[in-house]
Amino acid sequence: MVRLARAALVLAASACLAALTVPACIIGSITVGADCPIDDDGNLLIPRECCICPSPEACPNGFPKDVTVPDYCRPDCPENIPYECCECPSPEWCPGGEIHVQVPDYCHSLDAGTDAGSDGSMSSLCTGGSCVTPGPAGWKGPMSFWQGWDIEAPTCPEDAPILAFEGWTAPPPPSCGTCECDAPEGTCTLPETWTVDSQACPGGGVKTNFDPPTNWDGTCNGDKSILADKLCGGVPCVRSITISPPVIEELPCKAHLVGDPEPKVPKAWHGGPEVTLGRVCTSESALPKCTEAKGKVCVPTPPGFSSCLYREGDHACPEGWGEKVLLYGYVEDNRTCAECECSEPSGGFCNVKFRIFSDAACNTEKEAADVSTGMTAPCKDLMPGTQLSSKSAVVLEYTKGACTPSSGNAEGELVLLEPVTVCCSAPVT
């Protein structure tokens, strides 16, 4: 048979104080802690540290407010309710579901606008607050929560004046814009090497230079003419000609950003100006129960505040508390936008038409063909002994190359420490 011990409990007041190192406690005539549950042999049915006040005489000055009762002492007591205000902190206190103790008078004292509930605990019409279900084990709250810009942060509400936690959201990466490269400025250089050979293609005989002058613009040119009767090794010097492809010469591309990159302004603190602040506010007093919503408690929610739970670490929200906010107690954002850069130009194309003449005025054409960038230097056979007196060339097509953009992205380290998950519930209306 289970019974509740009073002064006959072997734990004397002095022993209680020595073991728990707590001040003396008051609790009226019959309170939680006075009459701790014992069996017929006088053995305590709960851990000794869960019996804070074994008798009224052990706590003549009130229940010790500076003592934190371990969670395992109060599995059936909502987190927001003080230990001494729980009629049944654990099954041992209420054998068979019958309540044998009373809570202290102040546990069911009322503020203006509240009524006493039929169960003897604090009740409220929740004026200026939100009725929500107490949170599950492991979560703190429900409490009053505000989130917004730091410069607009209000103080904690009068009914929840204690700042339980303050943190910031993770800042977004810097807005760096998009790195792009302008088309390069450049030119297509006409073929510079014109080699005449005394043998047919691919050559192999005596070679004669028929190059145009440096920086040639392609107009008719008679430099290095070769007469028809000129011999090379006993044979006519002219039997074939090989002309080098044109060359594209382009300057580096100019890099620029597209969009609205973030202005480089000094940051007032490491998190930067773009993150929001979150404040969790609570009170030393237990939350009153809502008379209009059975099983729920009233959380102060003045304008801008919500009813929320919070927990250290990054967690999924419990059912019914789906509006998750992840805050950090420490934020250091050292990220910046890397410089926008461009690779060397590539992929350009140039096609040139060349002509060879037997007269100095570029009238009597002997050979004409196209030569393009990227191709093997073409070799053209000529009639043996053909006279080469002049040449011309013109660019038929020039397509500029392109550059590949690089960087322009965020670089640097973002440090986020001391994460706290805040989960908010819509108020009961």
Side-chain angles (χ1 to χ4, degrees):
M1 179 178 179
V2 175
R3 60 191 178 91
L4 298 177
R6 184 187 272 285
L9 186 62
V10 180
L11 296 174
S14 59
C16 169
L17 298 177
L20 299 174
T21 319
V22 299
C25 8
I26 173 177
I27 317 265
S29 58
I30 301 176
T31 60
V32 171
D35 294 329
C36 296
I38 62 172
D39 61 19
D40 290 338
D41 297 324
N43 298 313
L44 199 60
L45 293 175
I46 60 175
R48 181 171 178 175
E49 62 271 20
C50 298
C51 183
I52 304 302
C53 299
S55 70
E57 293 78 9
C59 300
N61 295 324
F63 193 89
K65 297 298 183 182
D66 57 347
V67 170
T68 300
V69 181
D71 288 342
Y72 57 78
C73 293
R74 44 181 294 162
D76 296 337
C77 181
E79 184 177 355
N80 56 300
I81 301 299
Y83 184 62
E84 72 273 21
C85 294
C86 289
E87 293 136 329
C88 298
S90 65
E92 292 83 2
W93 288 93
C94 302
E98 183 179 355
I99 299 175
H100 292 275
V101 295
Q102 294 177 345
V103 296
D105 291 341
Y106 63 78
C107 289
H108 41 104
S109 62
L110 301 175
D111 295 325
T114 63
D115 295 316
S118 59
D119 59 358
S121 61
M122 291 185 294
S123 298
S124 171
L125 293 176
C126 207
T127 303
S130 301
C131 288
V132 294
T133 304
W139 290 85
K140 298 178 182 180
M143 299 181 182
S144 305
F145 176 67
W146 177 90
Q147 183 181 9
W149 299 114
D150 194 357
I151 59 174
E152 301 173 351
T155 57
C156 285
E158 181 179 354
D159 294 334
I162 300 173
L163 181 62
F165 177 78
E166 183 177 74
W168 294 265
T169 54
S175 175
C176 298
T178 302
C179 181
E180 292 189 358
C181 301
D182 293 334
E185 296 297 328
T187 59
C188 176
T189 302
L190 298 173
E192 296 179 347
T193 303
W194 302 52
T195 303
V196 175
D197 199 290
S198 61
Q199 293 186 11
C201 294
V206 178
K207 293 177 173 48
T208 303
N209 187 333
F210 193 55
D211 294 349
T214 303
N215 298 322
W216 180 44
D217 62 3
T219 56
C220 184
N221 176 262
D223 290 358
K224 302 182 177 70
S225 60
I226 304 172
L227 299 176
D229 58 358
K230 184 176 181 180
L231 300 177
C232 293
V235 297
C237 290
V238 178
R239 180 64 180 86
S240 64
I241 184 169
T242 301
I243 299 177
S244 65
V247 177
I248 295 177
E249 296 179 349
E250 294 176 328
L251 298 173
C253 297
K254 292 182 179 180
H256 66 278
L257 292 171
V258 176
D260 297 318
E262 177 186 75
K264 295 183 178 180
V265 296
K267 292 184 176 182
W269 55 287
H270 285 311
E274 63 276 86
V275 301
T276 56
L277 173 71
R279 284 182 171 172
V280 179
C281 301
T282 186
S283 171
E284 290 183 347
S285 302
L287 293 174
K289 295 181 180 179
C290 292
T291 57
E292 69 271 33
K294 186 176 180 180
K296 298 182 183 294
V297 293
C298 180
V299 180
T301 52
F305 283 81
S306 301
S307 304
C308 307
L309 307 176
Y310 83 98
R311 185 176 182 180
E312 286 79 8
D314 186 353
H315 303 277
C317 287
E319 184 177 356
W321 300 84
E323 297 182 27
K324 175 179 176 179
V325 178
L326 189 59
L327 302 176
Y328 297 90
Y330 180 86
V331 177
E332 183 175 355
D333 190 2
N334 294 316
R335 296 172 298 179
T336 58
C337 295
E339 185 177 355
C340 180
E341 298 177 342
C342 297
S343 66
E344 291 296 321
S346 62
F349 177 77
C350 182
N351 184 37
V352 171
K353 169 76 74 175
F354 69 87
R355 290 181 172 86
I356 304 171
F357 305 92
S358 61
D359 66 302
C362 294
N363 290 322
T364 307
E365 183 180 286
K366 293 298 181 179
E367 182 63 48
D370 291 357
V371 57
S372 302
T373 52
M375 67 182 296
T376 302
C379 179
K380 297 293 182 179
D381 287 329
L382 301 170
M383 291 296 294
T386 298
Q387 181 167 315
L388 303 181
S389 298
S390 60
K391 52 193 168 289
S392 68
V394 63
V395 175
L396 299 179
E397 179 186 357
Y398 168 41
T399 302
K400 293 182 178 181
C403 300
T404 302
S406 61
S407 299
N409 300 318
E411 61 180 10
E413 185 180 17
L414 172 63
V415 180
L416 301 172
L417 302 176
E418 304 170 18
V420 166
T421 300
V422 178
C423 298
C424 298
S425 173
V428 176
T429 57

